[in-house]
Amino acid sequence: MGPQMPSYPVPEGASIEACGSRPNSGSLEELDSLCKEGKAKEAVELLRLLEKQHIHVDLPRYVLLMQVCGEAKALEEAKVVHEDILRSQSSLEVSTYNRIIEMYSRCGSMEDAFLVFNKMPLQNLTSWDIMITWLAKNGFGWDAIDLFTEFKQAGRRPDGQMFIGVFQACSVVGDIDEGMLHFESMSKDFGIVPTMDHYISLVDMLGNAGHLDEALEFIEKMPLEPTVDIWETLMNLCRVHGHIELGDRCSELVEQLEPSRLNKESKAGLVPVKASDLSKEKEKKKDQTLLEVRSRVHEYRAGDTSHPENDKIYAKLRGLREQMKEAGYVPETRFVLHDIDQESKEDALLAHSERLAVAYGLLSSSARSPIRVIKNLRVCGDCHNALKIISKIVGRELIMRDAKRFHHFKDGVCSCRDYW
């Protein structure tokens, strides 16, 4: 997915352009304001200006900058902040290192997170928690489980938070047996009493894998009284998997416990839209992808022909398509909803926004460097398959953040293991 550039809304019909502009003046108050507005790129440009003016930036402001960079998935800006912190501080506390790790993890760069993690003078429990949790969130489920095994083999004792990350990792890889073994080990080997958050994580793991009846049975055998959160979790998973009857039963329980949790969509048997997503609905009406190249952000829409190098982009895509077919790629035209002929459907797939972004990335970035894109919709099955094959053909890592998660395509394989 990954997507390491700020995902600011792009005006409808906007042309390809760089985002952000250099501030005219510089002050710590202006830096605070930009951070409050979540403008990572502009904040880091101002940070450079303050440095030239020899204005000292204190550690709390760097912490705020790290938070902004992480939330905006602005990897290049995150690296600048990291370098400045190392340069301005004589030594760093473990807590600061942990924030740097989390910043890189939120940007989708677990490679950078690992570099910091491995060079830390001292790692505490939180350091391991962050790495395991964010490996899972970035789709590296088995890596998270392996790191947890390494943690235990070193004689360390996990806490309850770490097990939530482990359950999420098992959910990512779809291995419920592994997850249940860790659940048993939690109390048996480490004396950790499961909380409702642990039970919700396990229901999510079972439900994501499609084991909805097993999830219900698990809830009914819980030693704790099920909360509205756990019934809402199962209800939403039932909606996703089309288990209408069980989803309606869960909906009734949610309504009994907390009627305000149900909105129009959930009452109609649909996956409810979260309140935090409502502001994004206008952005999601059209297929849109952002590409970061040399710290410049470019925007693409499906079927876009407005790019100055449009001919080169489509020529690159057509050339890749021939190589992909030789490698066994078969276009899944069911993802094209228009009533057109087969050839036109294949061309429509070719023009999906993430492919346009990747093609231009291949044309304009240095050889072997990763290509990072962010997509406002969930990636379709055909593009997911295509990007796997492209990553193998070109020998590049393609990192994409779609509406649900990060996808790291490398050597013909995606970090999600086709489970998304």
Side-chain angles (χ1 to χ4, degrees):
M1 285 132 256
Q4 270 67 38
M5 66 295 295
S7 53
Y8 308 134
V10 180
E12 195 73 28
S15 60
I16 301 164
E17 60 184 2
C19 296
S21 58
R22 180 170 295 280
N24 294 322
S25 61
S27 69
L28 292 174
E29 290 72 22
E30 188 177 358
L31 181 64
D32 293 341
S33 178
L34 289 171
C35 287
K36 187 176 180 180
E37 294 172 15
K39 295 181 178 179
K41 190 176 185 67
E42 291 89 337
V44 170
E45 288 177 346
L46 179 55
L47 180 66
R48 288 174 171 142
L49 186 60
L50 293 173
E51 189 177 84
K52 289 179 181 178
Q53 296 174 352
H54 303 291
I55 297 176
H56 175 68
V57 177
D58 57 19
L59 186 57
R61 282 191 169 92
Y62 276 118
V63 170
L64 186 57
L65 276 165
M66 286 191 282
Q67 181 181 336
V68 171
C69 288
E71 289 176 353
K73 301 172 183 63
L75 180 59
E76 294 307 312
E77 285 70 28
K79 289 181 177 180
V80 172
V81 172
H82 181 198
E83 290 170 2
D84 275 19
I85 291 173
L86 293 178
R87 189 164 49 245
S88 65
Q89 306 292 318
S90 56
S91 62
L92 299 181
E93 297 288 336
V94 176
S95 60
T96 305
Y97 277 112
N98 288 341
R99 289 180 181 275
I100 295 170
I101 292 171
E102 186 170 6
M103 173 181 67
Y104 279 131
S105 300
R106 287 181 180 275
C107 289
S109 181
M110 293 312 299
E111 182 180 356
D112 286 305
F114 259 118
L115 286 173
V116 176
F117 179 74
N118 290 331
K119 290 181 180 179
M120 287 176 65
L122 178 67
Q123 299 158 340
N124 62 11
L125 190 60
T126 303
S127 312
W128 291 83
D129 276 347
I130 292 170
M131 288 300 298
I132 290 168
T133 297
W134 281 97
L135 278 168
K137 287 184 176 182
N138 272 278
F140 298 107
W142 287 120
D143 294 281
I145 294 168
D146 288 345
L147 191 62
F148 180 57
T149 301
E150 181 185 329
F151 175 86
K152 292 188 294 181
Q153 287 175 344
R156 299 179 175 93
R157 293 184 65 82
D159 62 358
Q161 180 62 39
M162 188 173 292
F163 275 99
I164 291 176
V166 172
F167 298 149
Q168 186 171 5
C170 293
S171 177
V172 167
V173 300
D175 194 334
I176 63 171
D177 293 331
E178 177 87 13
M180 296 312 293
L181 285 173
H182 287 299
F183 177 60
E184 293 172 11
S185 170
M186 187 172 74
S187 54
K188 179 181 176 183
D189 299 330
F190 301 103
I192 300 173
V193 179
T195 66
M196 187 55 66
D197 286 339
H198 293 108
Y199 288 113
I200 291 173
S201 295
L202 285 160
V203 168
D204 187 71
M205 178 190 73
L206 291 165
N208 269 318
H211 297 270
L212 298 166
D213 291 328
E214 192 172 337
L216 175 62
E217 184 180 349
F218 178 78
I219 293 173
E220 291 173 340
K221 290 181 177 179
M222 280 169 41
L224 302 178
E225 184 70 24
T227 63
V228 65
D229 293 313
I230 207 160
W231 289 121
E232 186 179 37
T233 298
L234 183 57
M235 177 189 74
N236 291 341
L237 289 164
C238 288
R239 306 302 198 206
V240 169
H241 289 280
H243 198 322
I244 299 172
E245 183 180 349
L246 180 55
D248 289 343
R249 287 170 58 192
C250 293
S251 176
E252 291 172 4
L253 290 166
V254 171
E255 188 165 23
Q256 289 175 19
L257 293 169
E258 196 174 327
S260 62
R261 290 288 186 99
L262 296 179
N263 59 21
K264 183 172 66 176
E265 288 82 6
S266 56
K267 286 180 180 179
L270 303 172
V271 180
V273 178
K274 295 179 182 178
S276 60
D277 293 334
L278 291 175
S279 62
K280 301 176 184 177
E281 285 304 296
K282 288 184 179 179
E283 296 173 49
K284 291 190 175 185
K285 288 182 179 178
K286 290 191 176 182
D287 181 10
Q288 174 184 311
T289 296
L290 299 177
L291 164 73
E292 183 180 35
V293 178
R294 297 169 186 167
S295 296
R296 292 173 64 84
V297 179
H298 304 267
E299 176 240 344
Y300 299 84
R301 296 184 186 276
D304 193 356
T305 58
S306 63
H307 196 283
E309 298 184 62
N310 179 67
D311 292 342
K312 290 183 180 179
I313 290 173
Y314 278 92
K316 182 69 175 177
L317 285 170
R318 284 190 290 270
L320 281 170
R321 181 169 60 186
E322 295 308 311
Q323 290 178 274
M324 288 159 61
K325 287 185 175 180
E326 290 176 9
Y329 165 70
V330 178
E332 295 185 56
T333 53
R334 62 191 176 90
F335 292 105
V336 179
L337 303 180
H338 307 295
D339 186 16
I340 50 181
D341 59 40
Q342 180 69 18
E343 184 177 350
S344 297
K345 285 185 177 183
E346 290 188 19
D347 287 339
L349 288 172
L350 199 71
H352 277 193
S353 62
E354 57 266 56
R355 297 200 208 185
L356 296 174
V358 167
Y360 184 63
L362 291 171
L363 289 168
S364 57
S365 61
S366 57
R368 294 183 295 280
S369 64
I371 294 173
R372 304 174 184 277
V373 300
I374 184 168
K375 181 176 172 64
N376 67 324
L377 303 177
R378 195 174 176 190
V379 61
C380 80
D382 184 74
C383 283
H384 191 271
N385 188 38
L387 292 179
K388 284 195 302 180
I389 297 172
I390 290 172
S391 73
K392 188 172 184 178
I393 290 172
V394 301
R396 304 267 295 269
E397 183 178 10
L398 313 177
I399 306 170
M400 179 176 66
R401 177 68 162 93
D402 71 1
K404 186 175 181 182
R405 63 152 51 121
F406 278 103
H407 297 266
H408 296 249
F409 302 95
K410 190 174 183 180
D411 298 327
V413 177
C414 180
S415 59
C416 77
R417 296 295 191 270
D418 299 337
Y419 185 79
W420 89 100

